[in-house]
Amino acid sequence: MIAGALGALASQRPALSQDRPAPRVAALEWSSAEIAFLLGVPPLGLAERQGYEQWVGIGASELREAVDLGRRQQPSLEALLRLRPETILASTHRHSAIEGQLSAIAPTHLVPDQPADFDFFGAVLDATGFVGSVLGREREAEHLLGNFHLRLEQLRERAQAGGLAGLRVVLAQPLSGVARLRIFTANSAVIQALARIGLEPAMAGTTEPFGFTTMGLEDLAGLSPETRFLLMDEREPAELAASAVWPLLPVVAAGGVVPIGARLWPFGATGSLIEIAEAVLVSLSE
């Protein structure tokens, strides 16, 4: 899976521009950091850098020297002042209330990440173009998005060749310490990406403001045994295995649970979405 992820990254990232110096960028949200990296502008400062390395991973080896800017929700203004960035990439969702304070340090751009129509796939595309414009990397952003759509089409062809087209799937992220799951809904970027490679969302009619909902095990009793329950973990968590309800669910009893790996980030940009799509196809084919 690691080799596939690296190949996906290499196929998306445009050639670095040698004729223009990269601006000094601070990224306060992981998706913005991912986009900036893929556009050839690795941020010099990053909120929750170690968390980014653990959960997102896109370009992590090149971002290890980035200054940690504190929490994503409450970035360190002192660390930002010391960094002296030329551009701050902030989040519409997280940082609108402190935009004035951030702008006093450097030009601040609120990346649109909470769309009014809750279309999070479209928001990923919009955010990529937005960051490309802010960083003067419009051509690179166009190239990145073109490669993203091409890669999705290639994965769609691979799914068809493997007899996976039309397979009904649910994507679930276990919650630590409880027998509950975060279920990604039809308007999430990751479910829309899976739909574009030919998989069928088993909860197609569900829309949520953040692209997911939290469910107890009883809420999953209606899933068809033919559904593939894509679990974002290496194996069934102990909290699920210890539940008396879990083995009785039709999809579980039918062997439909498919672990796809834990180090995947469902709230990321194009690189993260391709990594998950790759991991899903590999896991379904095993």
Side-chain angles (χ1 to χ4, degrees), residues 164-225:
L164 301 175
L167 191 67
R168 292 175 62 80
V169 299
V170 169
L171 182 66
Q173 188 177 45
L175 299 178
S176 179
V178 294
R180 295 177 66 81
L181 295 143
R182 177 179 288 165
I183 304 294
F184 290 90
T185 51
N187 64 307
S188 67
V190 65
I191 289 296
Q192 290 192 57
L194 295 182
R196 281 166 170 78
I197 68 170
L199 303 179
E200 183 73 24
M203 297 182 174
T206 307
T207 296
E208 293 292 335
F210 292 96
F212 66 85
T213 187
T214 301
M215 290 187 175
L217 301 187
E218 296 85 354
D219 299 320
L220 305 173
L223 287 176
S224 165

Short mmCIF file of all heavy atoms in Angstrom, two decimals, residues 164-225:
data_model
loop_
_atom_site.label_atom_id
_atom_site.label_comp_id
_atom_site.label_asym_id
_atom_site.label_seq_id
_atom_site.Cartn_x
_atom_site.Cartn_y
_atom_site.Cartn_z
N LEU A 164 -15.29 -4.94 -9.51
CA LEU A 164 -15.73 -4.22 -8.31
C LEU A 164 -16.73 -3.11 -8.62
O LEU A 164 -17.32 -2.54 -7.69
CB LEU A 164 -14.52 -3.62 -7.59
CG LEU A 164 -13.46 -4.62 -7.13
CD1 LEU A 164 -12.27 -3.88 -6.54
CD2 LEU A 164 -14.04 -5.61 -6.12
N ALA A 165 -16.92 -2.79 -9.88
CA ALA A 165 -17.82 -1.69 -10.24
C ALA A 165 -19.24 -1.98 -9.74
O ALA A 165 -19.76 -3.09 -9.91
CB ALA A 165 -17.82 -1.50 -11.75
N GLY A 166 -19.85 -0.99 -9.13
CA GLY A 166 -21.21 -1.14 -8.62
C GLY A 166 -21.30 -1.75 -7.24
O GLY A 166 -22.40 -1.86 -6.69
N LEU A 167 -20.17 -2.13 -6.67
CA LEU A 167 -20.17 -2.71 -5.33
C LEU A 167 -20.64 -1.66 -4.33
O LEU A 167 -20.16 -0.53 -4.31
CB LEU A 167 -18.76 -3.19 -4.97
CG LEU A 167 -18.62 -4.05 -3.73
CD1 LEU A 167 -19.31 -5.40 -3.92
CD2 LEU A 167 -17.14 -4.28 -3.42
N ARG A 168 -21.58 -2.03 -3.46
CA ARG A 168 -22.11 -1.10 -2.47
C ARG A 168 -21.20 -1.09 -1.25
O ARG A 168 -20.87 -2.15 -0.71
CB ARG A 168 -23.54 -1.48 -2.09
CG ARG A 168 -24.53 -1.28 -3.24
CD ARG A 168 -25.93 -1.77 -2.88
NE ARG A 168 -26.49 -1.03 -1.75
CZ ARG A 168 -27.06 0.17 -1.85
NH1 ARG A 168 -27.12 0.78 -3.02
NH2 ARG A 168 -27.58 0.77 -0.80
N VAL A 169 -20.80 0.11 -0.85
CA VAL A 169 -19.82 0.22 0.23
C VAL A 169 -20.27 1.25 1.27
O VAL A 169 -21.02 2.18 0.98
CB VAL A 169 -18.43 0.63 -0.31
CG1 VAL A 169 -17.90 -0.42 -1.29
CG2 VAL A 169 -18.46 2.00 -0.96
N VAL A 170 -19.77 1.05 2.48
CA VAL A 170 -19.86 2.01 3.57
C VAL A 170 -18.44 2.24 4.06
O VAL A 170 -17.66 1.29 4.21
CB VAL A 170 -20.74 1.48 4.73
CG1 VAL A 170 -20.60 2.38 5.96
CG2 VAL A 170 -22.19 1.39 4.29
N LEU A 171 -18.08 3.50 4.29
CA LEU A 171 -16.77 3.83 4.84
C LEU A 171 -16.96 4.26 6.29
O LEU A 171 -17.72 5.20 6.57
CB LEU A 171 -16.10 4.94 4.04
CG LEU A 171 -14.69 5.33 4.50
CD1 LEU A 171 -13.71 4.18 4.27
CD2 LEU A 171 -14.20 6.57 3.76
N ALA A 172 -16.26 3.59 7.20
CA ALA A 172 -16.44 3.83 8.62
C ALA A 172 -15.10 4.03 9.31
O ALA A 172 -14.12 3.33 9.00
CB ALA A 172 -17.19 2.67 9.27
N GLN A 173 -15.06 4.96 10.25
CA GLN A 173 -13.87 5.22 11.06
C GLN A 173 -14.19 4.92 12.51
O GLN A 173 -15.08 5.54 13.10
CB GLN A 173 -13.44 6.68 10.89
CG GLN A 173 -12.11 7.02 11.53
CD GLN A 173 -11.72 8.46 11.24
OE1 GLN A 173 -12.55 9.38 11.35
NE2 GLN A 173 -10.47 8.68 10.86
N PRO A 174 -13.51 3.94 13.13
CA PRO A 174 -13.80 3.62 14.54
C PRO A 174 -13.48 4.80 15.45
O PRO A 174 -12.58 5.60 15.18
CB PRO A 174 -12.85 2.45 14.83
CG PRO A 174 -12.48 1.89 13.50
CD PRO A 174 -12.49 3.05 12.56
N LEU A 175 -14.22 4.91 16.54
CA LEU A 175 -13.99 5.92 17.55
C LEU A 175 -13.36 5.25 18.77
O LEU A 175 -13.86 4.22 19.23
CB LEU A 175 -15.29 6.62 17.93
CG LEU A 175 -16.00 7.36 16.78
CD1 LEU A 175 -17.31 7.96 17.26
CD2 LEU A 175 -15.10 8.43 16.18
N SER A 176 -12.28 5.81 19.25
CA SER A 176 -11.52 5.19 20.32
C SER A 176 -12.34 5.08 21.61
O SER A 176 -12.98 6.04 22.05
CB SER A 176 -10.25 6.01 20.58
OG SER A 176 -9.50 5.46 21.64
N GLY A 177 -12.32 3.88 22.18
CA GLY A 177 -12.91 3.67 23.50
C GLY A 177 -14.39 3.37 23.53
O GLY A 177 -14.92 3.05 24.60
N VAL A 178 -15.07 3.45 22.39
CA VAL A 178 -16.51 3.19 22.37
C VAL A 178 -16.87 2.33 21.16
O VAL A 178 -16.16 2.32 20.16
CB VAL A 178 -17.33 4.51 22.30
CG1 VAL A 178 -17.14 5.31 23.57
CG2 VAL A 178 -16.94 5.33 21.09
N ALA A 179 -17.98 1.62 21.28
CA ALA A 179 -18.47 0.80 20.18
C ALA A 179 -19.37 1.63 19.28
O ALA A 179 -20.56 1.33 19.09
CB ALA A 179 -19.20 -0.42 20.72
N ARG A 180 -18.82 2.70 18.74
CA ARG A 180 -19.51 3.58 17.82
C ARG A 180 -18.58 3.89 16.66
O ARG A 180 -17.36 3.76 16.77
CB ARG A 180 -19.96 4.87 18.50
CG ARG A 180 -21.00 4.66 19.59
CD ARG A 180 -21.37 5.93 20.31
NE ARG A 180 -22.05 6.89 19.44
CZ ARG A 180 -23.33 6.84 19.13
NH1 ARG A 180 -24.10 5.87 19.59
NH2 ARG A 180 -23.89 7.75 18.36
N LEU A 181 -19.17 4.32 15.55
CA LEU A 181 -18.39 4.54 14.34
C LEU A 181 -18.76 5.86 13.68
O LEU A 181 -19.92 6.28 13.72
CB LEU A 181 -18.63 3.40 13.34
CG LEU A 181 -18.15 2.02 13.77
CD1 LEU A 181 -19.12 0.96 13.29
CD2 LEU A 181 -16.76 1.74 13.24
N ARG A 182 -17.78 6.49 13.10
CA ARG A 182 -18.02 7.66 12.25
C ARG A 182 -18.28 7.13 10.85
O ARG A 182 -17.42 6.51 10.23
CB ARG A 182 -16.80 8.57 12.28
CG ARG A 182 -16.90 9.78 11.39
CD ARG A 182 -15.65 10.63 11.52
NE ARG A 182 -15.62 11.34 12.80
CZ ARG A 182 -14.53 11.91 13.30
NH1 ARG A 182 -13.39 11.83 12.65
NH2 ARG A 182 -14.59 12.54 14.46
N ILE A 183 -19.48 7.38 10.34
CA ILE A 183 -19.88 6.90 9.03
C ILE A 183 -19.86 8.09 8.05
O ILE A 183 -20.52 9.10 8.29
CB ILE A 183 -21.29 6.27 9.06
CG1 ILE A 183 -21.35 5.14 10.09
CG2 ILE A 183 -21.67 5.78 7.67
CD1 ILE A 183 -20.50 3.94 9.77
N PHE A 184 -19.13 7.94 6.96
CA PHE A 184 -19.03 9.03 5.99
C PHE A 184 -20.23 9.00 5.05
O PHE A 184 -20.60 7.95 4.50
CB PHE A 184 -17.70 8.94 5.23
CG PHE A 184 -16.55 9.28 6.13
CD1 PHE A 184 -15.91 8.29 6.86
CD2 PHE A 184 -16.14 10.59 6.30
CE1 PHE A 184 -14.87 8.59 7.73
CE2 PHE A 184 -15.12 10.92 7.17
CZ PHE A 184 -14.48 9.91 7.89
N THR A 185 -20.83 10.17 4.90
CA THR A 185 -22.08 10.28 4.17
C THR A 185 -21.85 10.64 2.70
O THR A 185 -20.73 10.94 2.29
CB THR A 185 -22.99 11.32 4.84
OG1 THR A 185 -22.24 12.54 5.05
CG2 THR A 185 -23.46 10.82 6.20
N ALA A 186 -22.92 10.61 1.93
CA ALA A 186 -22.81 10.73 0.48
C ALA A 186 -22.22 12.06 0.04
O ALA A 186 -21.67 12.15 -1.06
CB ALA A 186 -24.19 10.54 -0.16
N ASN A 187 -22.31 13.09 0.86
CA ASN A 187 -21.78 14.40 0.46
C ASN A 187 -20.33 14.61 0.88
O ASN A 187 -19.75 15.65 0.60
CB ASN A 187 -22.63 15.52 1.05
CG ASN A 187 -22.60 15.55 2.57
OD1 ASN A 187 -22.86 14.54 3.22
ND2 ASN A 187 -22.30 16.70 3.15
N SER A 188 -19.73 13.63 1.56
CA SER A 188 -18.32 13.75 1.94
C SER A 188 -17.44 13.64 0.71
O SER A 188 -17.79 12.99 -0.29
CB SER A 188 -17.94 12.67 2.95
OG SER A 188 -17.98 11.38 2.36
N ALA A 189 -16.28 14.25 0.78
CA ALA A 189 -15.34 14.19 -0.35
C ALA A 189 -14.91 12.76 -0.61
O ALA A 189 -14.79 12.32 -1.77
CB ALA A 189 -14.13 15.08 -0.08
N VAL A 190 -14.68 12.00 0.45
CA VAL A 190 -14.14 10.66 0.27
C VAL A 190 -15.17 9.71 -0.35
O VAL A 190 -14.84 8.89 -1.22
CB VAL A 190 -13.58 10.13 1.61
CG1 VAL A 190 -14.67 9.94 2.64
CG2 VAL A 190 -12.80 8.85 1.39
N ILE A 191 -16.43 9.81 0.04
CA ILE A 191 -17.46 8.95 -0.57
C ILE A 191 -17.68 9.35 -2.02
O ILE A 191 -17.87 8.49 -2.90
CB ILE A 191 -18.76 9.01 0.25
CG1 ILE A 191 -18.58 8.30 1.59
CG2 ILE A 191 -19.91 8.39 -0.53
CD1 ILE A 191 -18.30 6.81 1.47
N GLN A 192 -17.66 10.65 -2.30
CA GLN A 192 -17.80 11.07 -3.70
C GLN A 192 -16.63 10.60 -4.54
O GLN A 192 -16.80 10.25 -5.71
CB GLN A 192 -17.94 12.59 -3.76
CG GLN A 192 -19.26 13.10 -3.20
CD GLN A 192 -19.50 14.56 -3.54
OE1 GLN A 192 -19.51 14.94 -4.71
NE2 GLN A 192 -19.69 15.38 -2.53
N ALA A 193 -15.44 10.57 -3.96
CA ALA A 193 -14.28 10.05 -4.70
C ALA A 193 -14.46 8.56 -4.99
O ALA A 193 -14.18 8.09 -6.10
CB ALA A 193 -13.00 10.29 -3.90
N LEU A 194 -14.94 7.81 -4.00
CA LEU A 194 -15.17 6.37 -4.22
C LEU A 194 -16.26 6.15 -5.27
O LEU A 194 -16.19 5.19 -6.05
CB LEU A 194 -15.53 5.69 -2.91
CG LEU A 194 -14.44 5.66 -1.83
CD1 LEU A 194 -14.93 4.91 -0.59
CD2 LEU A 194 -13.16 5.02 -2.36
N ALA A 195 -17.27 7.01 -5.27
CA ALA A 195 -18.32 6.90 -6.29
C ALA A 195 -17.74 7.12 -7.68
O ALA A 195 -18.15 6.47 -8.66
CB ALA A 195 -19.44 7.89 -6.01
N ARG A 196 -16.76 8.01 -7.79
CA ARG A 196 -16.15 8.31 -9.09
C ARG A 196 -15.25 7.18 -9.60
O ARG A 196 -14.90 7.16 -10.78
CB ARG A 196 -15.39 9.63 -9.02
CG ARG A 196 -16.33 10.84 -9.11
CD ARG A 196 -15.65 12.13 -8.70
NE ARG A 196 -16.48 13.29 -9.00
CZ ARG A 196 -17.52 13.69 -8.28
NH1 ARG A 196 -17.87 12.99 -7.20
NH2 ARG A 196 -18.22 14.75 -8.62
N ILE A 197 -14.86 6.27 -8.73
CA ILE A 197 -14.09 5.12 -9.21
C ILE A 197 -15.00 3.90 -9.39
O ILE A 197 -14.52 2.79 -9.61
CB ILE A 197 -12.90 4.79 -8.29
CG1 ILE A 197 -13.35 4.26 -6.94
CG2 ILE A 197 -11.99 6.01 -8.13
CD1 ILE A 197 -12.19 3.71 -6.10
N GLY A 198 -16.31 4.11 -9.26
CA GLY A 198 -17.25 3.06 -9.62
C GLY A 198 -17.90 2.33 -8.47
O GLY A 198 -18.69 1.41 -8.68
N LEU A 199 -17.60 2.71 -7.23
CA LEU A 199 -18.24 2.07 -6.08
C LEU A 199 -19.53 2.80 -5.74
O LEU A 199 -19.64 4.00 -5.92
CB LEU A 199 -17.28 2.06 -4.89
CG LEU A 199 -15.93 1.37 -5.15
CD1 LEU A 199 -15.05 1.45 -3.92
CD2 LEU A 199 -16.12 -0.07 -5.60
N GLU A 200 -20.48 2.06 -5.22
CA GLU A 200 -21.81 2.62 -4.96
C GLU A 200 -21.99 2.90 -3.48
O GLU A 200 -21.88 1.98 -2.65
CB GLU A 200 -22.88 1.62 -5.42
CG GLU A 200 -24.30 2.10 -5.28
CD GLU A 200 -24.67 3.16 -6.29
OE1 GLU A 200 -24.04 3.21 -7.35
OE2 GLU A 200 -25.61 3.93 -6.01
N PRO A 201 -22.27 4.15 -3.10
CA PRO A 201 -22.49 4.43 -1.67
C PRO A 201 -23.74 3.71 -1.17
O PRO A 201 -24.82 3.85 -1.75
CB PRO A 201 -22.67 5.95 -1.63
CG PRO A 201 -22.11 6.46 -2.93
CD PRO A 201 -22.33 5.37 -3.92
N ALA A 202 -23.60 2.96 -0.11
CA ALA A 202 -24.74 2.23 0.44
C ALA A 202 -25.68 3.15 1.21
O ALA A 202 -26.82 2.78 1.48
CB ALA A 202 -24.26 1.10 1.35
N MET A 203 -25.20 4.35 1.57
CA MET A 203 -26.04 5.34 2.25
C MET A 203 -26.13 6.59 1.39
O MET A 203 -25.81 7.69 1.81
CB MET A 203 -25.47 5.66 3.63
CG MET A 203 -25.45 4.48 4.57
SD MET A 203 -24.80 4.90 6.21
CE MET A 203 -25.09 3.36 7.07
N ALA A 204 -26.57 6.40 0.17
CA ALA A 204 -26.50 7.46 -0.84
C ALA A 204 -27.34 8.68 -0.51
O ALA A 204 -27.03 9.78 -0.94
CB ALA A 204 -26.91 6.89 -2.20
N GLY A 205 -28.41 8.52 0.23
CA GLY A 205 -29.30 9.65 0.45
C GLY A 205 -28.96 10.52 1.64
O GLY A 205 -29.67 11.48 1.93
N THR A 206 -27.88 10.20 2.34
CA THR A 206 -27.57 10.89 3.58
C THR A 206 -26.64 12.07 3.35
O THR A 206 -25.62 11.95 2.68
CB THR A 206 -26.90 9.91 4.57
OG1 THR A 206 -27.72 8.75 4.70
CG2 THR A 206 -26.74 10.54 5.93
N THR A 207 -27.00 13.24 3.90
CA THR A 207 -26.17 14.44 3.81
C THR A 207 -25.98 15.00 5.21
O THR A 207 -26.94 15.13 5.97
CB THR A 207 -26.82 15.51 2.92
OG1 THR A 207 -26.91 15.00 1.58
CG2 THR A 207 -26.01 16.79 2.91
N GLU A 208 -24.74 15.32 5.56
CA GLU A 208 -24.43 15.88 6.87
C GLU A 208 -23.53 17.10 6.72
O GLU A 208 -22.72 17.16 5.78
CB GLU A 208 -23.75 14.84 7.76
CG GLU A 208 -24.63 13.67 8.18
CD GLU A 208 -25.75 14.07 9.12
OE1 GLU A 208 -25.60 15.10 9.83
OE2 GLU A 208 -26.78 13.36 9.17
N PRO A 209 -23.63 18.08 7.63
CA PRO A 209 -22.85 19.32 7.50
C PRO A 209 -21.34 19.13 7.43
O PRO A 209 -20.65 19.93 6.82
CB PRO A 209 -23.26 20.10 8.76
CG PRO A 209 -24.62 19.61 9.09
CD PRO A 209 -24.61 18.16 8.72
N PHE A 210 -20.81 18.08 8.05
CA PHE A 210 -19.38 17.84 7.98
C PHE A 210 -19.03 16.60 7.16
O PHE A 210 -17.88 16.18 7.13
CB PHE A 210 -18.78 17.73 9.39
CG PHE A 210 -18.81 19.04 10.14
CD1 PHE A 210 -19.84 19.32 11.02
CD2 PHE A 210 -17.84 20.01 9.92
CE1 PHE A 210 -19.89 20.53 11.70
CE2 PHE A 210 -17.88 21.22 10.60
CZ PHE A 210 -18.91 21.48 11.49
N GLY A 211 -20.03 16.02 6.51
CA GLY A 211 -19.77 14.86 5.66
C GLY A 211 -19.70 13.54 6.39
O GLY A 211 -19.29 12.54 5.82
N PHE A 212 -20.12 13.51 7.65
CA PHE A 212 -20.14 12.25 8.38
C PHE A 212 -21.20 12.33 9.47
O PHE A 212 -21.66 13.41 9.84
CB PHE A 212 -18.78 11.91 8.99
CG PHE A 212 -18.33 12.85 10.06
CD1 PHE A 212 -18.72 12.67 11.39
CD2 PHE A 212 -17.49 13.92 9.77
CE1 PHE A 212 -18.31 13.54 12.39
CE2 PHE A 212 -17.07 14.80 10.76
CZ PHE A 212 -17.49 14.61 12.08
N THR A 213 -21.56 11.16 9.98
CA THR A 213 -22.46 11.06 11.12
C THR A 213 -21.93 9.97 12.02
O THR A 213 -21.19 9.09 11.58
CB THR A 213 -23.90 10.76 10.67
OG1 THR A 213 -24.77 10.82 11.78
CG2 THR A 213 -24.00 9.38 10.03
N THR A 214 -22.27 10.03 13.29
CA THR A 214 -21.83 9.02 14.25
C THR A 214 -22.97 8.06 14.52
O THR A 214 -24.10 8.49 14.79
CB THR A 214 -21.35 9.68 15.55
OG1 THR A 214 -20.28 10.57 15.25
CG2 THR A 214 -20.86 8.63 16.53
N MET A 215 -22.68 6.77 14.45
CA MET A 215 -23.72 5.76 14.62
C MET A 215 -23.30 4.71 15.64
O MET A 215 -22.12 4.36 15.74
CB MET A 215 -24.01 5.06 13.28
CG MET A 215 -24.69 5.91 12.25
SD MET A 215 -25.15 4.93 10.79
CE MET A 215 -26.05 6.15 9.84
N GLY A 216 -24.30 4.20 16.35
CA GLY A 216 -24.11 3.02 17.18
C GLY A 216 -24.27 1.78 16.34
O GLY A 216 -24.73 1.83 15.19
N LEU A 217 -23.91 0.64 16.87
CA LEU A 217 -23.94 -0.60 16.08
C LEU A 217 -25.36 -0.97 15.68
O LEU A 217 -25.58 -1.51 14.58
CB LEU A 217 -23.29 -1.73 16.89
CG LEU A 217 -21.83 -1.49 17.29
CD1 LEU A 217 -21.24 -2.74 17.92
CD2 LEU A 217 -20.99 -1.05 16.08
N GLU A 218 -26.32 -0.66 16.53
CA GLU A 218 -27.72 -1.00 16.19
C GLU A 218 -28.17 -0.26 14.93
O GLU A 218 -29.03 -0.77 14.19
CB GLU A 218 -28.65 -0.65 17.35
CG GLU A 218 -28.41 -1.46 18.62
CD GLU A 218 -27.30 -0.87 19.49
OE1 GLU A 218 -26.65 0.10 19.04
OE2 GLU A 218 -27.10 -1.37 20.61
N ASP A 219 -27.59 0.91 14.67
CA ASP A 219 -27.98 1.69 13.50
C ASP A 219 -27.53 1.05 12.20
O ASP A 219 -27.97 1.46 11.12
CB ASP A 219 -27.37 3.10 13.59
CG ASP A 219 -27.85 3.86 14.81
OD1 ASP A 219 -29.05 3.75 15.13
OD2 ASP A 219 -27.04 4.56 15.43
N LEU A 220 -26.66 0.05 12.28
CA LEU A 220 -26.11 -0.59 11.08
C LEU A 220 -26.81 -1.90 10.75
O LEU A 220 -26.43 -2.58 9.79
CB LEU A 220 -24.60 -0.85 11.27
CG LEU A 220 -23.77 0.39 11.63
CD1 LEU A 220 -22.34 -0.04 11.97
CD2 LEU A 220 -23.77 1.38 10.49
N ALA A 221 -27.84 -2.23 11.51
CA ALA A 221 -28.52 -3.52 11.32
C ALA A 221 -29.18 -3.63 9.96
O ALA A 221 -29.39 -4.74 9.45
CB ALA A 221 -29.53 -3.75 12.43
N GLY A 222 -29.53 -2.51 9.36
CA GLY A 222 -30.22 -2.55 8.07
C GLY A 222 -29.32 -2.70 6.86
O GLY A 222 -29.82 -2.80 5.73
N LEU A 223 -28.02 -2.71 7.06
CA LEU A 223 -27.11 -2.85 5.92
C LEU A 223 -27.21 -4.24 5.32
O LEU A 223 -27.21 -5.25 6.03
CB LEU A 223 -25.66 -2.58 6.35
CG LEU A 223 -25.28 -1.13 6.63
CD1 LEU A 223 -23.85 -1.06 7.15
CD2 LEU A 223 -25.44 -0.28 5.38
N SER A 224 -27.27 -4.29 4.01
CA SER A 224 -27.36 -5.56 3.31
C SER A 224 -26.11 -6.41 3.53
O SER A 224 -25.00 -5.87 3.61
CB SER A 224 -27.56 -5.31 1.81
OG SER A 224 -27.31 -6.48 1.07
N PRO A 225 -26.24 -7.73 3.61
CA PRO A 225 -25.07 -8.59 3.74
C PRO A 225 -24.09 -8.46 2.56
O PRO A 225 -22.91 -8.79 2.69
CB PRO A 225 -25.67 -10.00 3.79
CG PRO A 225 -27.08 -9.81 4.24
CD PRO A 225 -27.50 -8.49 3.68
#
